[in-house]
Amino acid sequence: MADTRLPPCEHGPYQCLTSSLTVAEVQDIETENILCVTCSRIDSYGTAWFGRISGVRKYDLSDEDLWRLLKPLRDEQVYPMAPPGLDVHDHKDIEGRYIKRANLVGSEDAEVAKILPMILLEEAKVLQSLRQHPHPNLFKFNGCILKDDRIAGLVLDKYPRTLDQYFLQASYEFSDFKAKAWMEGLRGVILHLHFLGLAYNDLNPMNIALDER
């Protein structure tokens, strides 16, 4: 059974809430009117929380408002059962790792909510396949975190910054040589994915990570 308690925040009940929430406005495609505001998060217990409200903009909602909207989701609504052969990572050994969690955006739509666990499962399968076909410019997948035999997180290597963050640094240094090296690295890993029958489909500076090299 999902734990219905929100973990206590060391800085008070609401102070850290917004930074850990995904808050989105849902628009009508034709009229572009705001239909509702949704918020979601996954806490340190692995419990997924979701909330929605109509008739307001997200900028009108305080931390306390968002807190009150959140309701726990059942694990089976979010997490798929782990299939045989999937690498498992010890949830206690995640220091310095990035844990990619389930995407809860769209949970307000019953039809979308049905496929959310399937999306996480398919991503886990792709990452498992990429682990068998590594590339020097491809991030490393370290296995899945399980919660009661369900996939609750995907463990990836954590990098110091994205390309977008690099350009936003006040003291960044840019050279034609570095640009060429980056493009060669990107081209190589994209061709590698295409060779495997995959496409990234969201290549932008926020999704390109840089390490110390």
Side-chain angles (χ1 to χ4, degrees):
M1 180 178 293
D3 189 338
T4 57
R5 296 174 294 116
L6 282 175
C9 176
E10 61 183 4
H11 301 296
Y14 304 122
Q15 194 166 335
C16 298
L17 182 61
T18 301
S19 62
S20 63
L21 279 176
T22 298
V23 182
E25 292 183 331
V26 181
Q27 283 185 309
D28 184 292
I29 297 177
E30 295 181 355
T31 66
E32 297 186 355
N33 292 332
I34 302 299
L35 300 177
C36 66
V37 175
T38 68
C39 57
S40 59
R41 75 187 298 261
I42 296 178
D43 66 25
S44 58
Y45 301 105
T47 303
W49 299 78
F50 185 82
R52 71 185 298 274
I53 186 172
S54 302
V56 297
R57 299 295 302 270
K58 64 180 181 180
Y59 310 104
D60 300 324
L61 297 170
S62 66
D63 285 2
E64 291 86 347
D65 294 329
L66 294 169
W67 181 282
R68 285 190 291 267
L69 287 175
L70 293 173
K71 298 291 186 292
L73 300 175
R74 299 190 309 275
D75 286 349
E76 59 267 28
Q77 293 177 275
V78 181
Y79 303 137
M81 295 296 296
L86 195 66
D87 290 333
V88 177
H89 191 87
D90 185 354
H91 71 280
K92 297 179 181 178
D93 182 27
I94 57 175
E95 185 71 26
R97 307 290 191 189
Y98 172 71
I99 311 302
K100 186 171 185 183
R101 300 290 189 176
N103 185 355
L104 303 178
V105 175
S107 295
E108 77 284 351
D109 186 310
E111 294 303 314
V112 173
K114 289 179 182 177
I115 66 172
L116 290 181
M118 188 187 307
I119 293 173
L120 185 61
L121 176 60
E122 290 304 311
E123 186 167 10
K125 289 180 178 179
V126 169
L127 291 175
Q128 182 72 35
S129 174
L130 291 177
R131 192 172 189 182
Q132 311 306 319
H133 301 87
H135 185 277
N137 290 96
L138 190 63
F139 57 81
K140 183 181 177 183
F141 173 59
N142 301 285
C144 296
I145 291 178
L146 299 186
K147 182 183 182 187
D148 297 329
D149 297 324
R150 294 181 179 274
I151 301 172
L154 309 174
V155 185
L156 309 174
D157 275 2
K158 190 174 184 178
Y159 298 92
R161 64 188 63 84
T162 64
L163 185 59
D164 183 62
Q165 291 169 335
Y166 179 86
F167 287 136
L168 292 175
Q169 291 178 157
S171 59
Y172 82 86
E173 297 178 2
F174 186 82
S175 67
D176 186 55
F177 169 79
K178 191 170 293 185
K180 289 180 180 179
W182 284 342
M183 289 306 296
E184 288 173 2
L186 282 174
R187 186 176 294 110
V189 72
I190 292 300
L191 290 175
H192 177 72
L193 290 175
H194 289 179
F195 177 78
L196 297 174
L198 301 170
Y200 190 74
N201 291 338
D202 192 18
L203 192 62
N204 66 74
M206 291 184 289
N207 290 334
I208 299 171
L210 302 177
D211 61 17
E212 289 78 4
R213 295 180 294 107

